[in-house]
Amino acid sequence: MIFPPQAAEGIKNVYGIPMKKPRALIFRCGSCGHEEPKWLGRCPECGEWNTLTETAVSPGSHAGRALSGGTAPRSLPLSAVDPQEEKRVGSGIEELDRVLGGGIMKRSAVLLGGEPGIGKSTLLIQTAAAAGTRGRILYISGEESAGQVRMRADRLGLTANLDRIEMCCTGRLEDILVILEAVKPVLIMADSAQTLHTDEAGPAPGTINQMKFCAYELISWVKDHDAALFLSAHVTKDGLISGPKTLEHMVDTVLYFEQGGNPGGGGYDGDCRFLRAVKNRFGSVDEIGIFTMGEGGLQVVADPSLLFLVRREGAVPPGIATASVMEGSRSLLVELQALTVPAKGSVSRVFSGSIETNRVSRVAASLEKHLGLRLSDQDLYVNVAGGIRINEVGVELALAAALYSARTGIALPAATAIAGELSLAGEVLPVRKKAAREKTAGGLGFSLFTAGDLKGAALALFGSVKLG
Ligand SMILES: [Zn+2]
């Protein structure tokens, strides 16, 4: 028996989990617009007294949908639907707001995945302390004691919101639901999904059923109470734990925290961390949050290009190229480093962590075919300064230049940022957002280089086309 028998007779949602009885009324705060399923004397969001009033719910609204379970199903013309106004609160962390699509959406659930130790708890407590909400914040810690969380907050120098962050150290859903009703938080940090358990979904904590059941209850709670939920989840290097993958379907937004390398320059403390959205119902999935993680916790990087460019005293050695890439709406300059050595085995191999090995192989094949530069007998190594993963096609011409430079021993001209996508025919296709790229390059003292084809690019950048 997985679910309680009395609930099993009711309506089930798509996960097979029984849904609660639909509520009949909502109460909206006249001062800030916060909504509650029950009347309260004091608004949990803005703290005003006697501002909650009973409100008629239109069938198109969120609350109206919740009512439809009890009445006959109906539709209505799209023109008659009230547009659901976006209610967001700032997380207080610019890079997190960017990845979320402009702040924390009310009634949303965010899953924050990442390897153990990458900084998920640090991001959650920093966000709790910086969030621009006036209501209370509940921090549910299933792994660390309240004292440990307090020590971390002190170590990070967090002082804001400490009176409004309520700590509870349990993973038991029944206890959490009691605390939620007592605290009425507007923001919930649950650290982590793996520690959530309930008496109602089988005996062993940490099973997928336990996690699903608890996550569903927490998500329902925030949707009913105009709050927002952050739920952290441990993921192994190869994403092997199936639990968080299941949770991805239940939440509105899925963020993954990734480990980068050491910053290339800029004098930053600590190593790079990247926050990426892999699912976002309320924003794009292209945006990337860039942080460094050091003594002071996660730091937002003011000028990220400095992380991915290596400052040098003398000339740039062969094998180094500067790429102009777009990560979401942001234009970055990134140093690529290539090394070619005669293949040890009979098959040439590609070693590349930050750019897909398939892309490296294809660019190498283009160089061999169209410029006659022999790379098929070489092992190819490609690095990106700062360890940032690059998925943009516009990196290909710079990658070709780095490989060409590494193989021929001719260095690239200084202060040249390269952008272009390669076709299999050896053409260089124009990149999007050229003006933004030029602006970024210019600001850092670089000129933007792009060309019509591979041969023209080699002539312009290296002065000659070296054959064979
Ligand atoms: Zn209010």
Side-chain angles (χ1 to χ4, degrees):
M1 175 59 66
I2 293 163
F3 300 116
Q6 74 276 13
E9 290 151 24
I11 307 158
K12 287 185 180 178
N13 74 345
V14 292
Y15 310 108
I17 297 169
M19 286 174 57
K20 286 190 193 139
K21 205 172 158 242
R23 63 178 193 255
L25 289 165
I26 62 151
F27 296 87
R28 184 175 290 145
C29 170
S31 161
C32 72
H34 180 84
E35 290 174 3
E36 282 290 325
K38 282 188 219 142
W39 187 83
L40 293 172
R42 188 174 192 224
C43 170
E45 169 64 54
C46 67
E48 296 286 322
W49 288 93
N50 295 318
T51 52
L52 293 186
T53 49
E54 211 175 293
T55 310
V57 196
S58 82
S61 73
H62 177 88
R65 281 201 305 279
L67 292 176
S68 66
T71 55
R74 54 168 294 199
S75 64
L76 79 170
L78 185 56
S79 59
V81 174
D82 288 340
Q84 200 192 340
E85 62 171 314
E86 285 208 348
K87 287 204 278 183
R88 293 185 189 261
V89 291
S91 69
I93 299 173
E94 199 187 328
E95 294 293 291
L96 178 59
D97 284 349
R98 169 194 294 275
V99 177
L100 289 173
I104 304 167
M105 191 78 171
K106 283 200 152 193
R107 287 183 184 149
S108 79
V110 178
L111 183 69
L112 175 65
E115 291 169 39
I118 192 140
K120 297 186 294 293
S121 306
T122 302
L123 182 61
L124 291 185
I125 192 69
Q126 282 187 241
T127 305
T133 166
R134 289 175 291 171
R136 288 205 270 186
I137 298 151
L138 181 65
Y139 195 104
I140 304 163
S141 176
E143 294 178 10
E144 292 176 308
S145 70
Q148 284 173 306
V149 176
R150 176 63 200 265
M151 262 172 60
R152 165 176 288 129
D154 287 349
R155 207 166 54 235
L156 298 171
L158 303 177
T159 53
N161 287 1
L162 291 199
D163 291 341
R164 294 191 291 117
I165 302 174
E166 294 283 324
M167 283 300 306
C168 89
C169 293
T170 177
R172 186 169 174 265
L173 181 68
E174 288 75 6
D175 296 338
I176 293 169
L177 290 174
V178 169
I179 293 166
L180 285 174
E181 287 306 322
V183 172
K184 296 277 183 203
V186 293
L187 183 59
I188 303 167
M189 305 300 193
D191 190 20
S192 62
Q194 275 88 356
T195 61
L196 295 175
H197 57 95
T198 167
D199 305 341
E200 295 187 357
T207 63
I208 291 171
N209 265 334
Q210 289 268 358
M211 251 190 278
K212 253 166 68 173
F213 189 96
C214 297
Y216 179 78
E217 287 291 322
L218 293 183
I219 294 165
S220 302
W221 199 92
V222 298
K223 304 239 178 227
D224 284 351
H225 293 79
D226 223 7
L229 169 70
F230 278 80
L231 180 61
S232 76
H234 300 311
V235 176
T236 57
K237 243 189 176 82
D238 22 9
L240 267 182
I241 298 178
S242 55
K245 281 283 172 205
T246 313
L247 296 181
E248 286 186 5
H249 304 298
M250 304 175 66
V251 297
D252 302 295
T253 301
V254 180
L255 305 181
Y256 269 91
F257 220 178
E258 297 174 356
Q259 173 80 51
N262 288 321
Y268 288 103
D269 158 48
D271 51 11
C272 303
R273 294 280 197 285
F274 307 112
L275 192 61
R276 280 178 200 274
V278 296
K279 168 182 175 179
N280 193 354
R281 201 165 280 163
F282 307 117
S284 98
V285 291
D286 295 331
E287 295 292 346
I288 174 174
I290 301 173
F291 301 89
T292 58
M293 176 76 140
E295 293 278 298
L298 290 163
Q299 307 284 331
V300 167
V301 175
D303 186 356
S305 262
L306 296 176
L307 287 182
F308 312 121
L309 288 179
V310 180
R311 297 275 160 192
R312 292 191 177 78
E313 293 298 319
V316 177
I320 304 287
T322 304
S324 156
V325 293
M326 294 300 301
E327 281 292 337
S329 59
R330 185 153 52 184
S331 146
L332 298 175
L333 293 193
V334 175
E335 177 174 304
L336 309 185
Q337 303 155 359
L339 173 69
T340 65
V341 290
K344 288 187 184 68
S346 53
V347 182
S348 113
R349 290 175 301 172
V350 175
F351 301 88
S352 174
S354 303
I355 298 177
E356 280 175 62
T357 53
N358 282 347
R359 176 163 280 155
V360 177
S361 301
R362 188 160 49 77
V363 167
S366 269
L367 286 170
E368 182 148 338
K369 171 74 181 172
H370 300 292
L371 298 182
L373 183 75
R374 197 158 163 78
L375 288 166
S376 53
D377 58 354
Q378 305 282 310
D379 284 341
L380 310 180
Y381 295 81
V382 175
N383 257 347
V384 177
I388 184 172
R389 202 152 50 79
I390 310 273
N391 300 317
E392 206 232 317
V393 291
V395 76
E396 290 175 350
L397 183 59
L399 180 58
L403 288 169
Y404 190 99
S405 169
R407 182 74 176 97
T408 60
I410 309 170
L412 278 151
T416 306
I418 303 168
E421 177 187 351
L422 295 187
S423 78
L424 289 178
E427 302 148 303
V428 178
L429 308 176
V431 287
R432 64 192 176 95
K433 304 226 167 136
K434 198 171 170 197
R437 293 173 197 259
E438 265 163 354
K439 193 169 166 231
T440 303
L444 291 160
F446 282 71
S447 59
L448 186 71
F449 177 87
T450 190
D453 62 82
L454 258 186
K455 208 164 203 170
L459 275 172
L461 290 169
F462 299 98
S464 66
V465 178
K466 183 164 176 170
L467 297 175

